[in-house]
Amino acid sequence: MEFNVPLAQWTKNRLLIQWIEEQIALCQPSSVHLCDGSAEEYDRIAHQMTAAGVLVPLKKRPASYWCHTNPDDVARVEESTFICSKHAEDAGPQNHWRDPAEMKKKLLSLFARCMRGRTMYVIPYCMGPLASSYSRVGVEITDSPYVVLNMKIMTRMGQVALDHLGDQPFIPGLHSVGHPLSKGEKDTLWPCNPKERVIAHFPEEKSIYSFGSGYGGNALLGKKCLALRIASVLGKNEGWLAEHMMILGLTHPAGQKIYIAAAFPSACGKTNLAMLTPTLPGWKVECVGDDIAWMHIGDDGRLYAINPEAGFFGVAPGTSMKTNPNAMRTIEHDTLFTNTALTPDKDVWWEGIGSPPPAHLTSWLGVMWDPASRKPAAHPNSRFTVSAKQCPIASPAMEDPCGVPIAAILFGGRRNRVMPLVLESFSWNHGVMLGASLTSETTAAAKGKTGELRHDPFAMLPFCGYNMGDYFSHWLAMGRRLQKAHAPRIYSVNWFRTGDDGKFLWPGFGDNVRVLKWIFERVTDRCEAGLSPIGHLPMMGSIDLSNLNIPIEPLFELHQKEWMNEVQELQRFFESFGSRFPKALMDELHQLEQRINRWQDD
Ligand code: OXD
Ligand code: MN
């Protein structure tokens, strides 16, 4: 077997050496590349992929590349994602469960000889700042050079991760595109195996296997698989939280700063919120993370968050100088674009980029785009992968090993009715119910129909590695451990309410700072709130609407009948967790029901 460096020279970690040797014997690659995470390594692999026609270097963006995938490999595949706990009830009704022994048998046969004719890459990576005791090391073995490039951007990868690991155990992840090459066979541009796709998690042994897809959260195992599904299990066992949340710092014009974490389902605006350009003078936002937060209780009783990732894997369509200028500046160089359209002068283009499509555009399918087809030129789930360091408003706290103290937690979904612009919970437990009640329209981030309303509690439905009934109990327990005076306040937000004409009522994007300002004033005890049956609402005039000419009332319109339906639907959903659903949360729902029954609709 040909190695780029001798294995024993690359690591002294005996568990790692043994695991790599076992995977080589199983997958039978033609060579092995042990990653060091250097810039030279990245460039070498990118050049090889360019020579093979997989990557197209971009002329307008230095050190940036475009590529497109197989049309059957464009999003996360929830129906092929499994939690393989010993007992089905530990995976919970929200997950697809498989018996671990049966799944292992299937995986062994899928992975046997699956890397023939390919290079096996071994990627040690650290999730979280290198100096942080909260960080975790995973090792991904993959036969996809595209995965190596993405992991280099999205994590602290290579030698630095090996140094952090030392001789300790790590979280193993085995990945293959599932397309071995026979002798002389020419590779396709995007090898994958959609028919045999499996993404399997073993929460008891803390391991990950992914077969058949090369894209996004299916293949970059540090992201959804480790930092959410496996980490959520670690968090429950060890008393912390692994959440699908962005983290931002918000500074008042007078200088006081707070940190906010916010959970929104995939492709619902976490990246835009995390990089917000305030429309209110003097306010400042800094980005700590755009997708995942690991939160621990500090010695002072406050909740501290780190961003385990080092990069952004952001949705391109809709990103423009108007909606997210900081993201646009972030991706000016050293960025990988996947499934956007390609312009004839070798730049990228997507729907909502803010300029009309140039003539002779290559679509995400790699063919000339026909505007008359009425099909989008960029796939709705096309992405940019870019280092977080390139963000002009990257917070220096991104590297803080202790994380940032969280003052407020937001839950938001796409709801065209029912949910007001913003709502503050009465208590931690009521806030946990707001998180558990999160319902949102489906988006292109996952395979399947878009625009359908589904329950997505805490925006974690596809990412919680154990029974969500237990997950809700864990949140309640965290609340009991947080010192009352320091527990973050919990909010529900909804940027997506529409009027009778179907148009959005709220401008969103930079104007969301108006809602953040109100939250800032609430958590720093600068303003009173009004009481409603569903929670605290801003008093008349307390959302700053300066220079914004819109009526605010429709954004807070509440109808008793709609809320009665909402409660009934939530009761049905909560009951689906059976005895694992915490009684304290059902009590919260019943209290809400009573408040709604007593309420006079006007
Ligand atoms: C993501 C997702 O890629 O949530 O972050 O799908
Ligand atoms: Mn996400």
Side-chain angles (χ1 to χ4, degrees):
M1 181 62 51
E2 190 193 318
F3 282 73
N4 62 326
V5 269
L7 183 52
Q9 192 180 310
W10 183 73
T11 181
K12 303 272 175 276
N13 185 312
R14 295 170 74 87
L15 288 169
L16 182 52
I17 291 174
Q18 189 189 336
W19 181 67
I20 293 169
E21 282 171 345
E22 283 166 9
Q23 307 324 305
I24 292 172
L26 175 66
C27 304
Q28 300 189 8
S30 56
S31 61
V32 178
H33 179 102
L34 305 167
C35 294
D36 61 17
S38 62
E40 294 72 36
E41 176 179 78
Y42 182 95
D43 289 343
R44 221 176 311 121
I45 294 174
H47 286 144
Q48 282 162 9
M49 292 175 73
T50 304
V54 180
L55 295 185
V56 175
L58 297 176
K59 292 228 169 86
K60 304 260 168 99
R61 296 171 200 258
S64 300
Y65 299 90
W66 173 83
C67 66
H68 69 102
T69 70
N70 178 305
D72 268 341
D73 196 20
V74 293
R76 283 185 293 98
V77 282
E78 293 177 10
E79 75 283 4
S80 310
T81 300
F82 301 97
I83 299 296
C84 309
S85 47
K86 279 196 198 94
H87 305 289
E89 26 333 335
D90 291 338
Q94 89 284 359
N95 275 313
H96 301 294
W97 176 81
R98 286 288 183 278
D99 175 76
E102 274 169 32
M103 180 54 93
K104 273 285 169 70
K105 209 164 129 203
K106 179 182 168 119
L107 291 169
L108 279 181
S109 90
L110 283 176
F111 278 96
R113 297 175 296 283
C114 72
M115 295 188 188
R116 283 216 163 152
R118 296 193 183 278
T119 298
M120 171 190 271
Y121 298 90
V122 185
I123 312 170
Y125 61 96
C126 180
M127 300 307 290
L130 289 165
S132 178
S133 57
Y134 300 143
S135 298
R136 301 287 163 135
V137 174
V139 182
E140 175 164 358
I141 285 185
T142 180
D143 52 8
S144 162
Y146 171 85
V147 165
V148 180
L149 299 190
N150 277 268
M151 290 293 283
K152 162 74 181 155
I153 298 172
M154 295 300 297
T155 70
R156 285 101 173 153
M157 185 270 249
Q159 190 58 47
V160 288
L162 283 179
D163 293 345
H164 187 87
L165 178 66
D167 56 5
Q168 296 300 304
F170 57 93
I171 298 168
L174 179 60
H175 169 253
S176 171
V177 294
H179 185 146
L181 291 170
S182 42
K183 230 187 174 148
E185 185 183 338
K186 194 172 170 328
D187 204 358
T188 59
L189 282 186
W190 189 271
C192 60
N193 188 346
K195 284 208 183 80
E196 301 281 8
R197 242 168 352 212
V198 184
I199 294 122
H201 306 73
F202 294 81
E204 280 107 7
E205 69 173 37
K206 320 274 181 306
S207 65
I208 305 158
Y209 292 77
S210 168
F211 188 88
S213 165
Y215 195 48
N218 301 330
L220 316 179
L221 302 187
K223 193 171 181 60
K224 304 302 178 182
C225 300
L226 190 156
L228 288 175
R229 298 196 189 97
I230 295 294
S232 62
V233 175
L234 294 171
K236 178 180 70 119
N237 295 344
E238 299 167 6
W240 53 280
L241 297 165
E243 299 301 326
H244 193 204
M245 290 182 180
M246 62 101 242
I247 311 161
L248 63 79
L250 177 68
T251 310
H252 186 276
Q256 190 180 350
K257 187 191 281 193
I258 63 164
Y259 290 94
I260 295 177
F264 296 77
S266 307
C268 286
K270 281 194 297 299
T271 306
N272 290 337
L273 185 63
M275 297 184 193
L276 179 148
T277 304
T279 53
L280 293 175
W283 288 82
K284 186 168 141 194
V285 166
E286 287 167 308
C287 174
V288 181
D290 82 327
D291 196 42
I292 300 178
W294 286 357
M295 302 194 286
H296 293 75
I297 300 178
D299 293 339
D300 59 1
R302 294 199 283 178
L303 193 60
Y304 284 82
I306 62 164
N307 169 14
E309 300 191 282
F312 307 124
F313 182 63
V315 177
T319 309
S320 70
M321 282 311 279
K322 217 166 135 199
T323 59
N324 193 340
N326 287 317
M328 292 301 280
R329 286 188 196 108
T330 307
I331 60 179
E332 279 170 0
H333 60 96
D334 292 274
T335 306
L336 272 178
F337 294 90
T338 310
N339 284 344
T340 66
L342 179 70
T343 66
D345 58 352
K346 302 280 182 291
D347 196 7
V348 283
W349 187 90
W350 49 76
E351 281 71 19
I353 198 170
S355 57
H360 312 300
L361 203 53
T362 300
S363 82
W364 72 273
L365 291 160
V367 294
M368 203 49 77
W369 181 58
D370 174 11
S373 70
R374 301 176 70 184
K375 294 201 173 118
H379 188 277
N381 191 38
S382 52
R383 302 277 183 147
F384 50 80
T385 320
V386 66
S387 166
K389 288 202 185 96
Q390 291 181 203
C391 179
I393 59 157
S395 166
M398 229 176 230
E399 291 298 329
D400 191 326
C402 302
V404 294
I406 297 298
I409 294 174
L410 278 47
F411 295 111
R414 284 177 188 264
R415 296 295 301 266
N416 59 4
R417 298 189 60 79
V418 186
M419 296 308 291
L421 178 64
V422 60
L423 169 72
E424 184 186 273
S425 66
F426 293 124
S427 63
W428 179 268
N429 282 12
H430 180 224
V432 173
M433 197 196 69
L434 290 181
S437 312
L438 209 161
T439 308
S440 188
E441 288 165 22
T442 49
T443 67
K447 190 167 164 271
K449 263 197 149 171
T450 59
E452 289 190 340
L453 214 55
R454 76 163 178 178
H455 292 285
D456 191 351
F458 289 76
M460 280 289 279
L461 184 82
F463 307 125
C464 182
Y466 62 100
N467 190 316
M468 272 205 125
D470 297 342
Y471 169 90
F472 303 140
S473 299
H474 179 47
W475 263 83
L476 295 174
M478 288 292 288
R480 287 192 295 275
R481 282 180 51 218
L482 280 164
Q483 283 177 20
K484 213 171 173 175
H486 293 315
R489 291 223 196 137
I490 302 183
Y491 296 81
S492 151
V493 296
N494 180 20
W495 319 137
F496 299 94
R497 225 169 137 146
T498 52
D500 294 337
D501 57 1
K503 291 202 176 120
F504 289 119
L505 292 169
W506 180 247
F509 305 110
D511 284 310
N512 290 335
V513 74
R514 300 170 192 274
V515 174
L516 299 187
K517 178 183 174 191
W518 181 72
I519 291 170
F520 182 101
E521 286 168 353
R522 288 292 297 155
V523 300
T524 55
D525 293 326
R526 283 175 163 92
C527 84
E528 296 287 311
L531 208 57
S532 90
I534 60 168
H536 289 298
L537 295 176
M539 308 268 252
M540 211 44 178
S542 57
I543 299 269
D544 186 342
L545 294 178
S546 46
N547 299 317
L548 186 67
N549 190 17
I550 59 150
I552 194 83
E553 295 78 14
L555 286 151
F556 288 95
E557 227 168 61
L558 304 174
H559 297 291
Q560 188 182 31
K561 187 127 195 298
E562 275 184 351
W563 272 92
M564 280 160 97
N565 292 340
E566 184 83 1
V567 166
Q568 268 169 24
E569 174 49 31
L570 285 173
Q571 166 125 10
R572 193 199 56 74
F573 176 62
F574 289 173
E575 280 169 355
S576 71
F577 294 94
S579 61
R580 298 276 186 128
F581 193 81
K583 181 176 171 312
L585 225 47
M586 202 55 106
D587 291 346
E588 279 293 335
L589 186 68
H590 290 148
Q591 285 164 30
L592 172 64
E593 189 176 21
Q594 281 165 15
R595 292 194 300 269
I596 288 169
N597 283 335
R598 286 198 301 266
W599 166 21
Q600 292 304 307
D601 212 349
D602 35 83

